[in-house]
């Protein structure tokens, strides 16, 4: 665009009048993401800042949208399992189990006891791996690099076990309708037990290094506080809801699988540092849940007995006319699968809706952001631990 | 339990016309269907009476003869956990609309946007009525049964033919290349 003084014939020259010039004091729009390392994937948040203070945050989603719900309408019930793997790719086992449980509920399948126990074991191992990832990346967000390396070291051992038993490191396709695909032999189970024995002291190291670290507490305590009522209104679940002090865990409150047989506690934020509902409490809920998962896996190893790992399932799965809404407790919150079948003529679902916990948590960012510093907003995004594969589906 | 709740809704909200849709198969779930115009009042009743305190998701289904919106509610109460599938229907595929419930349950804000994005159902008085997962200028609603993907988007071909993963197409291309190479070689010899 041409300036006034560039027009030929104009004699007016630019002058800076210090008296009349006023500094612009309106809000600055800043784009965070989608290629920002602290947004855990391809989240774009448009933030309006007043100097260093965030006035508003608007999440823009859809950069990873694959419309898997539409894909699933053209796939048979077994073919959908690899697709649900790709929702929350850091907790594929939990995704698989929720979907498979929805199909099994409509089919009325009985799952053998050994398969149920193996499911609980794999899902709890997956929960540890997922929480380790959350721990490592959260510390990374706040400027600490070393915990990330420690966390990945331990996570790698879990992935090795999964790789041996399912053939894949991230997207397993391991939990099948009626049971599990592959059995764990005694040597592998011994390695699980050895891993837990070595890992438990490691977690204490994490607490010394990070949880009780003064700088970490300064960065996370009293930051991004949400009340229980806000959590319920926004539909938050998992560590976000428990971090606010609401004792709710589907494994305990509406037990599925064989969870009612297990002895474990539901961890809630207790305000040991900061106030209940802040970033530190959400973080510590995850770290304490790792301990609970270790407890559960130890009990599984005691209970395991030889037996079948696959129930009786027809070769071609056809579900009766109707619908179910199945919810399970995944590492990031409650995953819900709303499955509608049109009747036994069809091999494909009529509609599959995924209720994603991360999608819900992302919708809370506009609530949490106002009044925070930009650096604190990074801490807030990290503390709700989102995976964009699940947000965008 | 659903029958009781439906009776309560009918008593509290005039014109709600709540009826239980009993599942044909015992393994499936039953749901409650209410009048679309009264959805805001029904949800307000569910919240104020404490029947349900969490809106988990809003799902939409295209049954071709009508569009259905399913509100997936849950009760987070350790003493009496529950869940509810609340449905509304519209036969208007062009202008089908319901009142927003995002003032009662803020969770509905994103969920209604997704429902609009995927099914093309509109929500009146919504604070931020835009698409959420698809781009703002995308055409059509992907989860409708009669959806056809648009051919072009911002000057780009959506499914470029040359990039379709079809084995026979690759074979034809290869034949062309061989033919071209042979012709070139023959030209050199002459």
């Amino acid at each position: 665009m041409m300036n006034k003084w560039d027009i030929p014939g104009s004699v007016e020259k630019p002058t800076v009048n210090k008296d009349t010039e006023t500094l612009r004091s309106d809000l600055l729009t800043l784009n965070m993401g989608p290629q920002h390392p602290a947004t855990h994937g391809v989240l774009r948040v448009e933030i309006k800042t007043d100097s260093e203070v965030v006035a508003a945050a608007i999440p823009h989603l859809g950069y990873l949208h694959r419309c898997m719900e539409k894909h699933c309408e053209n796939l048979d019930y077994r073919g959908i399992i690899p697709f649900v793997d790709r929702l929350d790719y850091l907790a594929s086992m939990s995704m698989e189990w929720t979907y498979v449980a929805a199909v099994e509920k409509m089919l009325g399948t009985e799952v053998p006891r050994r398969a149920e126990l193996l499911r609980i074991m794999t899902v709890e191992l997956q929960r540890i791996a997922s929480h380790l990832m959350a721990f490592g990346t959260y510390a990374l967000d706040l400027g600490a690099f070393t915990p990330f390396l420690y966390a990945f070291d331990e996570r790698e051992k879990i992935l090795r076990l999964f790789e041996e038993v399912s053939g894949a490191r991230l997207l397993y396709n391991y939990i099948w309708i009626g049971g599990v695909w592959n059995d764990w032999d005694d040597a592998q189970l011994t390695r699980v037990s050895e891993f837990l024995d070595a890992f438990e002291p490691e977690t204490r190291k994490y607490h010394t290094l990070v949880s009780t670290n003064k700088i970490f507490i300064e960065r996370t305590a009293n930051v991004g506080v949400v009340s229980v009522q806000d959590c319920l209104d926004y539909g938050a679940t998992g560590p976000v809801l428990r971090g606010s002090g609401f004792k709710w865990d589907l494994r305990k409150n509406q037990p599925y699988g064989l969870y009612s047989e297990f002895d474990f506690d539901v961890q809630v934020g207790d305000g040991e540092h900061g106030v209940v509902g802040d970033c530190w409490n959400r973080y510590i809920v995850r770290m304490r849940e790792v301990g609970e998962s270790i407890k559960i896996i130890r009990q599984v190893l005691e209970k395991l007995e030889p037996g079948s790992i696959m129930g009786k399932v027809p070769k071609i799965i056809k579900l009766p006319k109707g619908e179910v809404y199945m919810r399970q407790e995944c590492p990031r919150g409650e995953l819900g699968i709303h499955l509608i079948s049109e009747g036994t003529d069809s091999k494909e679902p009529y509609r599959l809706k995924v209720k994603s916990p991360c999608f819900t948590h992302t919708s809370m960012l506009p609530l949490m952001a106002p009044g925070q510093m930009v650096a604190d907003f990074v801490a807030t995004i990290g503390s709700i631990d989102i995976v964009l594969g699940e947000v965008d589906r | 339990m659903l029958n009781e709740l439906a009776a309560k809704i009918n008593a509290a909200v005039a014109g709600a016309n709540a009826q239980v849709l009993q599942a044909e198969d015992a393994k499936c779930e039953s749901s409650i269907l209410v009048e679309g115009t009264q959805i805001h009042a029904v949800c307000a009743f569910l919240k104020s009476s404490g029947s349900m305190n969490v809106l988990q998701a809003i799902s939409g289904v295209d049954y071709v003869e009508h569009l259905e919106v399913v509100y997936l509610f849950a009760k987070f109460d350790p003493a009496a956990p529950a869940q509810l599938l609340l449905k509304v229907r519209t036969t208007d595929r062009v202008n089908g609309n319901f009142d927003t419930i995002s003032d009662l349950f803020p969770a509905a804000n994103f969920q209604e946007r997704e429902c609009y994005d995927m099914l093309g159902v509109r929500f009146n008085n919504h604070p931020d009525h835009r698409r959420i997962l698809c781009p703002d200028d995308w055409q059509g609603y992907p989860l409708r049964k009669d959806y056809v993907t648009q051919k072009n988007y911002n000057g780009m071909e959506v499914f470029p033919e040359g990039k379709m993963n079809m084995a026979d197409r690759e074979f034809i291309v290869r034949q062309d290349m061989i033919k071209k190479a042979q012709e070139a070689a023959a030209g050199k010899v002459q």
Side-chain angles (χ1 to χ4, degrees), chain A residues 163-180:
Chain A
E163 190 180 6
E164 249 181 54
V165 85
S166 73
R169 284 168 56 81
L170 273 182
L171 311 160
Y172 309 105
N173 192 8
Y174 174 71
I175 295 177
W176 280 7
I177 296 163
V180 293

Side-chain angles (χ1 to χ4, degrees), chain A residues 231-305:
Chain A
C231 279
L232 292 176
D233 282 349
Y234 276 84
T237 46
V240 178
L241 179 63
R242 288 195 286 275
S244 291
F246 192 85
K247 206 166 190 172
W248 178 266
D249 189 326
L250 280 183
R251 292 175 293 169
K252 206 77 170 173
N253 295 102
Q254 287 176 275
Y256 51 89
L258 295 177
Y259 272 115
S260 49
E261 292 181 15
F262 288 86
D263 174 36
F264 63 99
D265 298 322
V266 179
Q267 295 291 350
V268 290
D270 52 4
E272 191 184 322
H273 295 285
V275 292
V276 174
D278 65 0
C279 293
W280 192 87
N281 281 284
R282 283 194 283 278
Y283 157 86
I284 205 69
V285 164
R286 288 198 187 91
M287 294 317 288
R288 287 175 183 160
E289 268 180 24
V290 169
E292 300 302 321
S293 292
I294 293 174
K295 263 197 224 169
I296 295 174
I297 300 167
R298 286 226 168 98
Q299 291 170 52
V300 171
L301 291 172
E302 276 171 26
K303 284 176 200 276
L304 267 180
E305 279 165 17

Side-chain angles (χ1 to χ4, degrees), chain A residues 5 27 78 111 118 122 124 131 148 154 177 179 192 309:
Chain A
W5 47 89
L27 296 177
R78 282 196 182 91
V111 183
L118 285 178
T122 47
E124 293 305 324
H131 282 345
F148 181 73
E154 297 301 317
I177 296 163
V192 173
I309 54 160

Side-chain angles (χ1 to χ4, degrees), chain A residues 59 226-236 355 359-368, chain B residues 40 43-44 47 52-58 71-73 100-114 123 125-128 132:
Chain A
V226 266
S227 66
V228 174
Q229 193 53 47
D230 280 339
C231 279
L232 292 176
D233 282 349
Y234 276 84
K355 180 259 156 184
F359 186 77
T360 307
H361 295 159
T362 314
S363 76
M364 295 174 79
L365 286 178
L367 170 83
M368 291 150 103
Chain B
H40 188 275
C43 291
K47 191 176 182 186
M52 296 289 149
N53 57 357
V54 175
L55 175 72
Q56 288 237 310
I58 297 177
Y71 295 80
L72 303 161
F73 280 104
T100 182
I101 57 162
S102 53
D103 52 334
L104 300 165
F105 295 94
N109 186 332
F110 270 36
Q111 298 289 347
E112 282 172 354
R113 278 175 69 187
E114 192 194 333
F123 292 91
N125 307 325
H126 191 281
D128 186 16
I132 187 163

Side-chain angles (χ1 to χ4, degrees), chain B residues 10-30:
Chain B
N10 279 331
V13 184
N17 198 15
Q19 47 177 307
V20 178
L21 301 178
Q22 205 66 42
E24 291 172 25
D25 195 291
K27 297 188 285 284
C28 299
E29 276 178 57
S30 307

Side-chain angles (χ1 to χ4, degrees), chain B:
Chain B
M1 178 237 160
L2 279 184
N3 286 320
E4 280 172 36
L5 188 59
K8 270 189 203 167
I9 291 173
N10 279 331
V13 184
N17 198 15
Q19 47 177 307
V20 178
L21 301 178
Q22 205 66 42
E24 291 172 25
D25 195 291
K27 297 188 285 284
C28 299
E29 276 178 57
S30 307
S31 52
I32 292 181
L33 177 73
V34 296
E35 207 63 50
T37 49
Q38 298 298 322
I39 184 66
H40 188 275
V42 171
C43 291
F45 166 72
L46 286 178
K47 191 176 182 186
S48 61
S49 68
S51 313
M52 296 289 149
N53 57 357
V54 175
L55 175 72
Q56 288 237 310
I58 297 177
S59 162
V61 195
D62 181 11
Y63 284 107
V64 185
E65 68 266 25
H66 61 259
L67 292 170
E68 190 172 271
V69 177
V70 190
Y71 295 80
L72 303 161
F73 280 104
K75 189 179 183 187
F76 281 17
D77 178 3
Q83 68 182 38
L84 168 69
L85 279 65
L86 186 72
K87 294 177 174 178
V88 287
R89 285 175 183 169
T90 174
T91 50
D92 189 350
R93 290 176 76 81
V94 184
N95 290 317
N97 62 80
F98 301 104
D99 286 342
T100 182
I101 57 162
S102 53
D103 52 334
L104 300 165
F105 295 94
N109 186 332
F110 270 36
Q111 298 289 347
E112 282 172 354
R113 278 175 69 187
E114 192 194 333
C115 192
Y116 162 67
D117 191 0
M118 294 291 142
L119 267 297
V121 181
R122 281 166 182 78
F123 292 91
N124 310 325
N125 307 325
H126 191 281
D128 186 16
H129 202 281
R130 288 182 294 130
R131 280 178 173 265
I132 187 163
L133 293 174
C134 294
D136 284 342
D137 49 357
W138 194 256
Q139 289 163 9
Y141 305 106
L143 284 180
R144 284 198 178 180
K145 294 289 174 186
D146 57 356
Y147 172 70
V148 181
T149 314
Q150 64 191 71
K151 282 223 167 85
N152 285 291
Y153 173 67
N154 280 348
M156 293 176 279
E157 217 174 319
V158 175
F159 286 127
E161 275 191 32
K163 289 186 179 172
M164 296 292 274
N165 187 14
M166 291 161 71
D168 51 349
R169 193 174 291 268
E170 274 180 29
F171 182 69
I172 294 163
V173 169
R174 209 167 296 156
Q175 287 296 320
D176 288 353
M177 295 301 283
I178 292 167
K179 210 176 165 187
K180 255 188 199 172
Q182 279 173 346
E183 278 171 4
K188 263 187 190 172
V189 173
Q190 277 170 8

Side-chain angles (χ1 to χ4, degrees), chain A residues 102-204:
Chain A
V103 176
E104 279 167 358
K105 191 178 173 192
M106 281 177 96
L107 205 58
T109 315
E110 272 198 31
V111 183
R113 189 177 163 80
R114 187 177 170 86
E116 287 277 23
L117 289 172
L118 285 178
R119 280 180 182 184
I120 291 181
M121 191 177 79
T122 47
V123 165
E124 293 305 324
L125 278 172
Q126 179 80 84
R127 196 183 304 274
I128 294 178
S130 171
H131 282 345
L132 280 176
M133 182 81 176
F135 161 76
T137 50
Y138 192 38
L140 199 60
D141 282 350
L142 300 177
F145 198 89
T146 326
F148 181 73
L149 301 175
Y150 283 123
F152 263 57
D153 204 14
E154 297 301 317
R155 181 172 171 267
E156 182 64 29
K157 290 173 191 164
I158 298 175
L159 295 194
R160 290 259 165 89
L161 281 165
F162 282 163
E163 190 180 6
E164 249 181 54
V165 85
S166 73
R169 284 168 56 81
L170 273 182
L171 311 160
Y172 309 105
N173 192 8
Y174 174 71
I175 295 177
W176 280 7
I177 296 163
V180 293
W181 172 53
N182 201 358
D183 205 353
W184 295 58
D185 62 25
D186 287 344
Q188 284 161 338
L189 293 175
T190 316
R191 278 175 53 204
V192 173
S193 166
E194 283 168 3
F195 163 73
L196 294 182
D197 292 343
F199 176 61
E200 209 169 15
E202 277 299 298
T203 55
R204 266 174 249 138

